[in-house]
Each structure stands twice: as C-alpha cells, then as structure tokens.
C-alpha cells in the first residue's frame, strides 16, 4: 500500500464516518415519513408537509456519501472521468440540499427548542453553501481547477455540518443530559458549521503551500 492510497483511505473513511450519524438519522426520518410511524408534536411539521424534507434528506445523503470520494487525490486522479461526471451530479444534489434547507427554514414553523439565533444561522449557511457550489462549478467550467477545488471544499464542509454537530452536542448530553434548547442549542448548532468552516479554510491554505 503506497502513501497516496493510505491518504485516500483516511480522507474517505473520515468523511464517511462524519456522515454516519446524520445518514442513519435521515434514513430513520424517511422510514417514519413513508410509514407514518414515530409521529410526535415536535416532528408534526414534517408529516404535515413531507415532500421538502424528503428532498432534503435524500440530497444530503447522496451529497455527503458520494462527495467523500471527490476529495481523495489519488482516487480522483485515477478516476478523472468518474470525478467529472459524478461531480456534476453532486453539484445538483448539493444545490438541492442547500435550497431545500433554506425552504425548510423559511416555510416550516419554528420548533420550541430553537432559539432566536438559529433561524438566521440556518439561512446564512444555506446561502453560503449555495454560493460556494455555484462559484465552484463556475470555476470548473472555466477550467480554473485550483479555485474550483477550494470552493467545493468550502461547500462540502458546510454540507457536512450535521456530522460535526453530533460532536458539538456531545458534551451537553454527557454533562447536562436531555435535549438542549434556546441559546445553548443555537450555539452548539452554529459551532458545528463554524468548525467545519475553519477546517475547510485550514485545508485550503495547506493545499496552497
């Protein structure tokens, strides 16, 4: 096994691991919505209007899982045709994920556990992801692949926020217990996206050296 292969496996494995809990949660939500099980007051909004959330979950699942293979340099270089073709599809699913996330934020009623900040945070990250993907795709069309890579990293990092939020919530679950609400929930949700943003910028600057 050469060093490139080891690096590829580490990158793909880490990203798939990060997407594991949100993917399982998404599959559970799909099962609930398609079978009518697990109805509660907290998730009533999903049952009242299930189509947008189903679009969001499916898009996020495809984008997060298959997107992991786009960032492994050895795998990408050995499968350039696959990278280009699947990349176009993943841009579509990434855009669908961002747009549906914005729609859910604007159209669905606010849940009691959300604080006043989370609405604005969700809108910001949704539009930021949208901006990153559009810009990244535009740079690919212009064959500016260096900038294309940078903006796709940013877009994917924001799209993987739910995976990091599992870890930003973990101290609360261990120390306090129960589901957080209000400002603590807003801060923990925001921290997941912010940490991914910082990590993406670190990766981009590391690549530039």
């Amino acid at each position: 096994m050469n060093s490139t292969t080891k690096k590829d496996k580490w990158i793909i494995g880490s990203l798939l691991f990060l997407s594991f809990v949100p993917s399982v949660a998404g599959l559970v939500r799909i099962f609930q919505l398609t079978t009518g099980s697990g109805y509660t007051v907290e998730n009533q909004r999903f049952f009242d209007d299930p189509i947008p959330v189903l679009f969001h979950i499916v898009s996020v699942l495809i984008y997060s899982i298959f997107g992991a293979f786009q960032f492994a340099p050895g795998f990408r270089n050995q499968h350039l045709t696959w990278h280009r073709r699947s990349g176009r599809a993943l841009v579509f699913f990434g855009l669908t994920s961002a747009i549906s996330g914005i729609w859910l934020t604007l159209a669905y009623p606010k849940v009691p556990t959300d604080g006043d900040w989370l609405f604005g945070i969700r809108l910001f990250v949704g539009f930021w992801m949208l901006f990153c993907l559009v810009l990244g795709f535009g740079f690919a069309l212009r064959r500016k692949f260096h900038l294309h890579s940078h903006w796709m990293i940013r877009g994917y990092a924001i799209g993987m926020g739910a995976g990091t939020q599992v870890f930003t919530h973990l101290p609360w679950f261990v120390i306090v217990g129960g589901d957080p609400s209000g400002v603590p929930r807003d801060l923990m949700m925001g921290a997941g996206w912010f940490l991914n943003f910082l990590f993406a910028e670190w990766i981009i600057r590391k690549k530039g050296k």
Side-chain angles (χ1 to χ4, degrees):
M1 181 186 299
N2 58 48
S3 58
T4 302
T5 302
K6 289 180 181 179
K7 182 179 179 181
D8 287 349
K9 289 189 175 183
W10 185 87
I11 292 172
I12 294 170
S14 298
L15 294 176
L16 291 178
F17 174 76
L18 193 63
S19 67
F20 177 74
V21 172
S23 297
V24 172
L27 291 172
V28 170
R29 182 70 71 193
I30 291 174
F31 175 79
Q32 291 174 337
L33 294 175
T34 54
T35 62
S37 61
Y39 179 92
T40 65
V41 174
E42 286 75 17
N43 63 27
Q44 177 183 347
R45 64 195 187 283
F46 300 139
F47 287 90
D48 291 343
D49 189 13
I51 300 301
V53 74
L54 287 173
F55 267 107
H56 185 68
I57 293 171
V58 172
S59 298
V60 170
L61 284 173
I62 295 173
Y63 182 67
S64 61
I65 293 172
F66 290 97
F69 296 86
Q70 296 287 332
F71 300 100
F75 182 88
R76 181 178 63 243
N77 293 335
Q78 293 173 18
H79 304 86
L80 283 175
T81 300
W82 180 90
H83 173 76
R84 295 190 187 102
R85 291 177 179 175
S86 63
R88 295 187 188 101
L90 288 171
V91 167
F92 169 78
F93 285 110
L95 292 174
T96 303
S97 172
I99 293 169
S100 60
I102 293 169
W103 173 266
L104 296 177
T105 301
L106 293 172
Y108 278 28
K110 177 184 172 183
V111 295
T113 54
D114 288 355
D116 295 332
W117 297 353
L118 193 52
F119 177 85
I121 293 172
R122 282 178 170 147
L123 284 182
F124 177 81
V125 298
F127 280 109
W128 174 248
M129 181 177 173
L130 198 64
F131 176 77
C132 292
L133 293 178
V134 170
L135 204 60
F137 186 64
F139 280 125
L141 293 178
R142 294 161 60 186
R143 305 188 66 81
K144 295 184 178 181
F145 298 119
H146 188 65
L147 294 173
H148 160 72
S149 173
H150 291 178
W151 286 100
M152 287 304 179
I153 288 171
R154 291 182 174 112
Y156 187 78
I158 291 298
M160 294 292 284
T164 309
Q165 285 160 359
V166 174
F167 297 98
T168 58
H169 280 71
L170 193 59
W172 178 278
F173 294 142
V174 173
I175 299 171
V176 180
D179 294 327
S181 62
V183 173
R185 171 171 164 78
D186 294 0
L187 293 175
M188 284 180 274
M189 293 287 286
W193 285 304
F194 185 63
L195 288 173
N196 281 15
F197 170 81
L198 292 179
F199 186 73
E201 295 304 315
W202 177 76
I203 290 292
I204 289 168
R205 279 153 180 75
K206 186 177 179 182
K207 284 166 62 72
K209 293 181 179 180

